[in-house]
Amino acid sequence: MEFIIDTVNLEEIKDAIEHMPIVGVTSNPSIVKATSPKDFFAHMKEVRSIIGKERSLHIQVISKECDEIVKEGHRILEEIDDQVYIKVPVSYEGIKAIKILKAEGHNVTATAVYDLMQAYMALAAGADYIAPYVNRIGNLGSDPFELINELSNRIVCDGYDCKILAASFKGVQQVRDAFNNGAQAVTAPVGVLKQIFANPNIEKAVNDFNNDWYAIYGEGNGICDL
């Protein structure tokens, strides 16, 4: 399993990687807008500095035509580093760009996936990650977890070196269902991942244990005080 966070907020990133087993950061133009850095590349370099080379960084292009997508991909790689995953929407022009970027040896994340055949095209084109939009697919009346399950089966059946990076989440249940249906990775807002620990029973259990401890050794006397 890979937990990746969908944000470019520097403080959120610092907090998340300090507390949780986060292995990467994803972004898209809407995520960037939420922070609105004046100098995009300087900001993304700061993101890389925070997360290090051991974590993946996924940055999305904005152009619609293949030649411009590839050009933007090259610019991102030049400005940040050659380990960045270029996020490319799986459109007709996008799939062409994915083929070119992979032929050049670059990392690619295929994004904006709503349909299984879209995902199959990205898989055959050599994408390293494929990002189906879980919540958005559900809102359109389709089953995102069926898509993830069938895509996962195809990856295993045909021996592709590719991971499903499920995206677009509104709650923890969707994250759990994505993993349980075959996604190897998820990218979610930090707030969604923090919901995992918002269960009041967790705090109650800790408080009950502490009260029993203090009943023996005295209020305020922790293990290090003995």
Side-chain angles (χ1 to χ4, degrees):
M1 292 186 300
E2 295 183 7
F3 288 97
I4 295 174
I5 49 176
D6 202 17
T7 180
V8 295
N9 182 297
L10 302 181
E11 294 307 313
E12 272 196 333
I13 293 170
K14 290 174 185 176
D15 180 72
I17 66 173
E18 286 176 359
H19 287 82
M20 296 182 285
I22 302 302
V23 301
V25 167
T26 58
S27 71
N28 61 42
S30 298
I31 293 295
V32 172
K33 182 184 177 183
T35 302
S36 297
K38 291 183 179 179
D39 188 329
F40 173 73
F41 286 118
H43 189 87
M44 298 312 292
K45 287 176 184 177
E46 182 65 18
V47 171
R48 172 60 91 195
S49 177
I50 292 168
I51 69 174
K53 290 289 186 71
E54 68 274 16
R55 295 182 179 90
S56 62
L57 177 58
H58 308 247
I59 301 177
Q60 188 165 323
V61 298
I62 66 165
S63 291
K64 296 180 179 180
E65 301 299 322
C66 173
D67 290 348
E68 292 301 312
I69 291 171
V70 172
K71 190 180 297 183
E72 288 182 355
H74 290 166
R75 177 72 187 280
I76 291 168
L77 294 167
E78 289 168 4
E79 291 285 348
I80 312 300
D81 58 62
D82 61 4
Q83 295 183 31
V84 171
Y85 286 80
I86 305 301
K87 283 182 70 180
V88 181
V90 185
S91 62
Y92 191 59
E93 289 291 303
I95 206 72
K96 180 181 178 182
I98 290 172
K99 288 174 57 182
I100 293 171
L101 290 167
K102 287 309 302 175
E104 294 174 346
H106 303 307
N107 298 323
V108 173
T109 297
T111 192
V113 172
Y114 289 86
D115 178 81
L116 184 60
M117 287 308 301
Q118 240 189 315
Y120 283 169
M121 278 285 184
L123 189 61
D128 300 283
Y129 285 92
I130 297 176
Y133 283 175
V134 171
N135 192 68
R136 295 188 187 188
I137 292 170
N139 287 343
L140 292 171
S142 297
D143 186 346
F145 307 113
E146 180 181 6
L147 186 158
I148 290 171
N149 184 261
E150 292 188 21
L151 178 58
S152 175
N153 289 338
R154 177 57 55 189
I155 290 171
V156 173
C157 179
D158 290 354
Y160 281 100
D161 184 17
C162 178
K163 294 179 180 179
I164 301 169
L165 174 59
S168 177
F169 295 106
K170 293 300 182 183
V172 175
Q173 181 66 50
Q174 291 177 329
V175 174
R176 179 167 56 198
D177 288 343
F179 276 133
N180 288 344
N181 280 278
Q184 294 87 358
V186 299
T187 182
V190 174
V192 169
L193 296 182
K194 282 187 173 181
Q195 289 176 16
I196 295 168
F197 310 101
N199 187 332
N201 291 300
I202 299 172
E203 186 175 1
K204 183 181 184 303
V206 172
N207 288 337
D208 289 347
F209 291 141
N210 286 356
N211 290 336
D212 288 341
W213 174 274
Y214 295 140
I216 304 169
Y217 298 106
E219 189 68 29
N221 288 319
I223 290 176
C224 293
D225 299 311
L226 300 181

